[in-house]
Amino acid sequence: MTATTAPYAATPARATRPPSARLRAWATRAPLLPALVFMILVTQLPFVATVVISFFDWNALYPNARHFAGVDNYRQVLTDADLRHSVWTTVLLTVTVVLVSLVLGLALALLLNNRFRGRGVVRTLLIAPFLVVPVAAALLWKHVLYNPEYGLLNGLLHYVGGPQPDWISGTPLLAVEAALVWQWTPFMMLILLAGLQSRDPEQIEAARVDGAGEWQIFRHLTLPHLRRYLELGALLGCIYIVQNFDAVFTITSGGLGTANLPYTVYQSFYQAHENGLASAAGVLVVIGSIVIATFALRVVSSLFREEVSRA
């Protein structure tokens, strides 16, 4: 009797453990469920609908003529001359803005890493452009700086007897790039300043004691230490600038060869009413952003691992 009843006596204890563990797991996850449901409703379902629409030849002006087109929309996005030009403009705009912002952000971070009177005020003023609403920043550059009649740039040139160029018509893509560089340089500066302040001061002091100059310290110690932070700034900058719409729409309205891929999506959807073509282009933008974001997350996780190991 003892041998036969022992397994049955142990069964209730084993049976009650998994439900209690599952209940505790659900209790800890339950507060996150509303946020998860909200995220799925707001982001994932519209994206799935966009993917479905991208396989249809669907013009909003002729709703009865829509039909399944397969991958024709994607083929047109990749082969159409205007769309290819918008892709090239997107790449050129993103690479230029990110590289220039990184260089200027590094210079400003090196400046703010030194102690001087009024450093807090200077830091606040340098961060301010990143806090401006993108549309407001684009309007500021278009009317306050670029305007050929009353703009600040032409006013300064007139004061010194220089020419009075039309900045937007003469150099349209450069005008958009300058506005974006002004807005994104503080973001790069903050990331690189955090990297500079995470350096080991004893290592820097030992290098100075050994006779290393400032350039040698920067080249052999500071720059290798900032590599991860430079990668993070570049990847995050690419994610946001690839999707930039405000500056192109506000400053040039997509004209003069400045139409990037997000603006082309806007033209296809809101002006040409080509829902299928615009959805295909939007899906490609999202896929590119996901690829870049994947690398960014890997860099962030590696930074966290380095900080944990250092602690």
Side-chain angles (χ1 to χ4, degrees):
M1 292 295 293
T2 306
T4 57
T5 57
Y8 294 98
T11 302
R14 288 199 301 266
T16 56
R17 286 174 189 168
S20 61
R22 286 197 295 267
L23 287 175
R24 283 197 300 269
W26 277 107
T28 56
R29 297 181 182 129
L32 300 176
L33 288 179
L36 179 62
V37 172
F38 178 79
M39 185 188 69
I40 292 174
L41 292 176
V42 173
T43 62
Q44 304 307 312
L45 291 183
F47 180 69
V48 171
T50 302
V51 173
V52 172
I53 295 173
S54 68
F55 292 105
F56 283 83
D57 185 358
W58 186 348
N59 191 303
L61 299 178
Y62 308 98
N64 296 328
R66 71 175 181 267
H67 60 275
F68 183 76
V71 296
D72 289 346
N73 290 323
Y74 291 95
R75 188 180 296 112
Q76 185 175 350
V77 170
L78 297 174
T79 57
D80 184 79
D82 293 334
L83 289 172
R84 284 205 309 269
H85 183 267
S86 68
V87 172
W88 168 246
T89 302
T90 304
V91 173
L92 184 61
L93 181 69
T94 302
V95 171
T96 303
V97 172
V98 168
L99 289 180
V100 176
S101 298
L102 277 175
V103 173
L104 295 178
L106 178 59
L108 294 175
L110 291 172
L111 172 66
L112 292 178
N113 195 48
N114 299 318
R115 294 185 178 275
F116 57 89
R117 180 174 297 179
R119 184 175 65 167
V121 177
V122 174
R123 183 182 302 173
T124 303
L125 293 175
L126 290 176
I127 295 173
F130 185 65
L131 305 178
V132 179
V133 178
V135 174
L139 288 172
L140 175 69
W141 278 79
K142 181 177 181 179
H143 295 291
V144 178
L145 295 176
Y146 289 148
N147 191 281
E149 297 180 0
Y150 54 81
L152 181 60
L153 294 179
N154 280 5
L156 294 175
L157 290 174
H158 176 72
Y159 180 77
V160 298
Q164 299 290 295
D166 190 340
W167 299 94
I168 297 178
S169 299
T171 54
L173 189 59
L174 183 61
V176 175
E177 291 169 348
L180 289 175
V181 166
W182 176 77
Q183 192 166 22
W184 282 95
T185 295
F187 176 77
M188 304 299 182
M189 179 195 72
L190 289 175
I191 292 178
L192 296 177
L193 183 60
L196 287 174
Q197 294 179 350
S198 67
R199 292 181 304 173
D200 186 3
E202 296 182 356
Q203 188 179 26
I204 303 299
E205 187 62 29
R208 289 197 177 98
V209 170
D210 290 339
E214 292 298 328
W215 170 249
Q216 292 175 316
I217 293 175
F218 174 78
R219 180 181 176 184
H220 298 288
L221 294 179
T222 302
L223 205 56
H225 176 77
L226 290 179
R227 183 178 65 87
R228 296 280 188 184
Y229 297 89
L230 290 168
E231 292 175 355
L232 177 62
L235 289 170
L236 292 178
C238 288
I239 291 173
Y240 287 104
I241 297 170
V242 158
Q243 306 175 46
N244 182 269
F245 173 81
D246 310 83
V248 174
F249 178 80
T250 305
I251 296 176
T252 64
S253 297
L256 304 173
T258 61
N260 58 350
L261 195 53
Y263 188 85
T264 304
V265 173
Y266 161 78
Q267 281 185 315
S268 300
F269 190 82
Y270 286 101
Q271 296 180 0
H273 303 285
E274 291 287 351
N275 296 348
L277 188 63
S279 298
V283 169
L284 293 179
V285 172
V286 171
I287 292 175
S289 301
I290 290 174
V291 171
I292 299 174
T294 302
F295 289 103
L297 291 174
R298 289 184 178 180
V299 173
V300 171
S301 62
S302 65
L303 284 175
F304 283 148
R305 286 196 297 269
E306 287 182 2
E307 292 296 331
V308 170
S309 63
R310 189 177 299 140

